[in-house]
Each structure stands twice: as C-alpha cells, then as structure tokens.
Amino acid sequence: MEIERSERKAPSSVSLGTLVVLIGAAFGCLYQVMLLLPVPLGHDQSWYLYAAQQILSGVTLYGPHLSETNPPLIMWLSVIPILVAHALRVSPVVALRLVVIALILLSTIWSLRFLHRRHPAAGSVFLVLAACAISFVEFDIWPLDFGQREQFLVILVLPYILAVTS
C-alpha cells in the first residue's frame, strides 16, 4: 500500500512585477515628499498656523481679537500641527507637512481597506496600483498649496467616496 504525500506549496511570494511596482511607488512618494522641502509655506497655511497659535494661547475664535472668515474645521485642524510642533520641538511648517503626509497615508490605507473588502480576490498588484492612484490624487497639488483646506477635504472625503461607490 502506497501512501500518497500531498505536496505542500510554499506560500506565494511576492512576484517580481509586484516588487517593481512597489519600489516604483515608494520612489514616487519619496519624490513627492522631497519636492515639498524647499517650497515656502503659502499665505493661507501661514494664516491658519498663526490663528491656531492664537487659539491655543486663549484668543477666542471669531472674537474681537481674531477676525476669521474661514470655517471652524480648518482652524481646529490647524491646531493639530501646532501641538505636534510643540511635542516634537520642530517648526510648525514641518509639523504641518508631517501631519498632512500622515493624513494622506492613513487615508490611502483606509481606502485600500475598503477596496480590499469589496474585491478580496484582487491581487497585490491591483492594491499597489490603487494605492498609487489614491496617493496621486491626494498629493496632486501645487507644492505652495500643500496643506490647504481643499486638500484636507480631498484627503478626508476620498475614503468615503470609495466606500460608497464600491
């Protein structure tokens, strides 16, 4: 009596194409981040950070000492980079860029999670290409306008749109 052995396949490793796409995506993201370093902060973002510092020092928003025409959400979102800057002892500009990059990363991961749940059979190449497309949409802004309220809107709404449409 001959006992048949079932051959166990090794767990599927990452294919060469997936690895190339991953490395290309990583270099593309790094390139986008490096473009931000020499660019000065735009006037809107500078005002947001100034107003956020005033709010944290006790000035009332929309009060007699701080006249503001922007909606309160952008003011409260601008408080986060100021708190991060104080915690990390970096400039508020660097903290703003770090916060926006972290939001883009979290938004991309959240969007990929929705896509993966909707299309569980999709391969890793699909997810890497989707991550590249989502990151491109969220990073596709003139470097001087990085951190504008419109960019925050795209970052925060895109996962919802992908969840609803998929």
Side-chain angles (χ1 to χ4, degrees):
M1 188 172 204
E2 203 172 305
I3 300 175
E4 292 183 28
R5 289 187 186 176
S6 63
E7 292 184 25
R8 299 182 85 193
K9 292 183 177 180
S12 64
S13 60
V14 177
S15 68
L16 182 62
T18 305
L19 191 60
V20 168
V21 169
L22 262 172
I23 291 171
F27 278 123
C29 289
L30 183 63
Y31 176 72
Q32 288 289 339
V33 171
M34 295 301 284
L35 285 177
L36 296 173
L37 295 178
V39 175
L41 196 62
H43 63 281
D44 284 345
Q45 301 93 317
S46 299
W47 172 254
Y48 300 155
L49 293 177
Y50 171 77
Q53 287 176 342
Q54 295 298 312
I55 291 168
L56 286 176
S57 66
V59 174
T60 305
L61 186 61
Y62 307 111
H65 301 294
L66 184 60
S67 177
E68 182 56 47
T69 59
N70 288 302
L73 180 62
I74 189 63
M75 292 296 109
W76 292 114
L77 282 174
S78 299
V79 167
I80 297 169
I82 300 298
L83 295 174
V84 170
H86 288 300
L88 298 178
R89 292 192 170 99
V90 296
S91 78
V93 175
V94 171
L96 174 68
R97 291 181 178 157
L98 288 175
V99 166
V100 173
I101 290 169
L103 283 174
I104 289 172
L105 180 65
L106 290 173
S107 175
T108 304
I109 291 170
W110 196 16
S111 299
L112 288 178
R113 187 172 172 160
F114 287 133
L115 289 175
H116 183 64
R117 282 188 179 176
R118 178 68 176 118
H119 306 287
S124 57
V125 173
F126 169 76
L127 291 176
V128 170
L129 291 175
C132 290
I134 293 166
S135 298
F136 177 75
V137 166
E138 293 177 350
F139 264 115
D140 188 31
I141 192 167
W142 189 257
L144 189 64
D145 294 332
F146 193 77
Q148 286 272 22
R149 64 183 180 195
E150 293 84 4
Q151 186 181 22
F152 280 119
L153 178 71
V154 170
I155 292 169
L156 296 175
V157 170
L158 189 61
Y160 173 75
I161 291 172
L162 285 174
V164 170
T165 58
S166 66

